[in-house]
Amino acid sequence: DIQMTQSPSTLSASVGDRVTITCRASQSISSWLAWYQQKPGKAPKLLIYKASSLESGVPSRFSGSGSGTEFTLTISSLQPDDFATYYCQQYNSYGWTFGQGTKVEIK
Amino acid sequence: QVQLVQSGAEVKKPGASVKVSCKASGYTFTSYYMHWVRQAPGQGLEWMGIINPSGGSTSYAQKFQGRVTMTRDTSTSTVYMELSSLRSEDTAVYYCARVLTDRDAFDIWGQGTMVTVSS
């Protein structure tokens, strides 16, 4: 299976900060990467698909980039509602895999 | 509106089986694949398998081969995930999530079903 590695595992930031989360794949996945946001006790929510496409209804402060094995999720100006855990996921091949998650905490 | 509604929480003893349901509404049931993903307490997301509601074909993660069975009932637009030989490590929230094709991100998720395995 393809391994997905996120960094950092935890990130402390303030409202208004620019935040970047990195995801690395153990082999090339082209652009078959998604980003999800999860809040405690809730199901994950799709933010970005195909590495850089914004899901309908998701605020434009979220953006994704990358291809091959290196990807990033950027939040341009962190809002109170954005404190959550973020997961990347590859869907290049059967055996869908997720990163271990990045928790964005209030500084 | 499009939604996936899962069955309620379960408590099972080690060695037992559990069957979780996921009822779809607001879209054409047979036009979307369904995945199952689980999340142990305080842990990340783990993919378990996929079912094509149209023909019933399935593909399971190697880790769960032999223990998991995914089925569907097109008459009620419901998919099921049954996990057998339960052990304490299977304590987790189980989610269903739909995709349009097997090369798509998971756009709609169920609310999750907590399964607790305890003697």
Side-chain angles (χ1 to χ4, degrees):
Chain A
D1 287 356
I2 297 174
Q3 307 304 314
M4 306 300 293
T5 304
Q6 284 182 237
S7 60
S9 297
T10 307
L11 187 161
S12 296
S14 301
V15 173
D17 284 353
R18 181 181 182 87
V19 165
T20 299
I21 299 168
T22 298
C23 179
R24 290 187 175 86
S26 60
Q27 65 189 73
S28 177
I29 57 170
S30 184
S31 295
W32 302 112
L33 183 105
W35 289 97
Y36 300 87
Q37 176 194 67
Q38 187 179 33
K39 296 182 178 178
K42 299 294 188 182
K45 172 188 174 183
L46 177 63
L47 299 175
I48 302 284
Y49 62 96
K50 219 172 281 184
S52 61
S53 296
L54 193 67
E55 175 72 348
S56 176
V58 174
S60 59
R61 63 181 179 272
F62 291 93
S63 64
S65 65
S67 66
T69 61
E70 297 263 341
F71 302 87
T72 59
L73 172 70
T74 299
I75 308 172
S76 60
S77 178
L78 198 64
Q79 298 302 300
D81 191 49
D82 301 338
F83 292 97
T85 300
Y86 295 84
Y87 293 93
C88 63
Q89 177 212 29
Q90 69 82 17
Y91 51 102
N92 177 68
S93 62
Y94 270 61
W96 290 255
T97 45
F98 294 86
Q100 80 278 18
T102 295
K103 185 175 183 179
V104 177
E105 298 180 328
I106 301 173
K107 193 171 184 179
Chain B
Q1 74 282 24
V2 175
Q3 60 178 350
L4 302 174
V5 178
Q6 298 184 221
S7 49
E10 303 263 12
V11 179
K12 296 291 183 182
K13 294 199 182 302
S17 297
V18 68
K19 192 170 186 177
V20 179
S21 68
C22 170
K23 183 174 176 58
S25 61
Y27 70 94
T28 301
F29 176 66
T30 51
S31 295
Y32 288 75
Y33 294 73
M34 200 75 78
H35 289 268
W36 287 89
V37 174
R38 77 177 187 180
Q39 186 171 39
Q43 302 302 308
L45 301 165
E46 181 177 32
W47 179 76
M48 298 181 68
I50 181 175
I51 181 169
N52 181 349
S54 178
S57 61
T58 56
S59 179
Y60 304 135
Q62 185 126 10
K63 176 176 179 175
F64 300 102
Q65 288 274 4
R67 281 211 302 146
V68 71
T69 305
M70 295 177 188
T71 56
R72 95 289 189 213
D73 181 345
T74 57
S75 68
T76 59
S77 299
T78 303
V79 296
Y80 300 90
M81 187 284 300
E82 184 170 23
L83 189 62
S84 63
S85 302
L86 290 169
R87 34 207 188 233
S88 59
E89 310 89 88
D90 294 318
T91 293
V93 176
Y94 290 76
Y95 294 102
C96 57
R98 75 160 199 182
V99 291
L100 182 59
T101 74
D102 61 0
R103 264 280 178 94
D104 276 308
F106 301 2
D107 68 339
I108 302 293
W109 294 62
Q111 83 277 19
T113 297
M114 182 71 210
V115 175
T116 302
V117 182
S118 174
S119 55

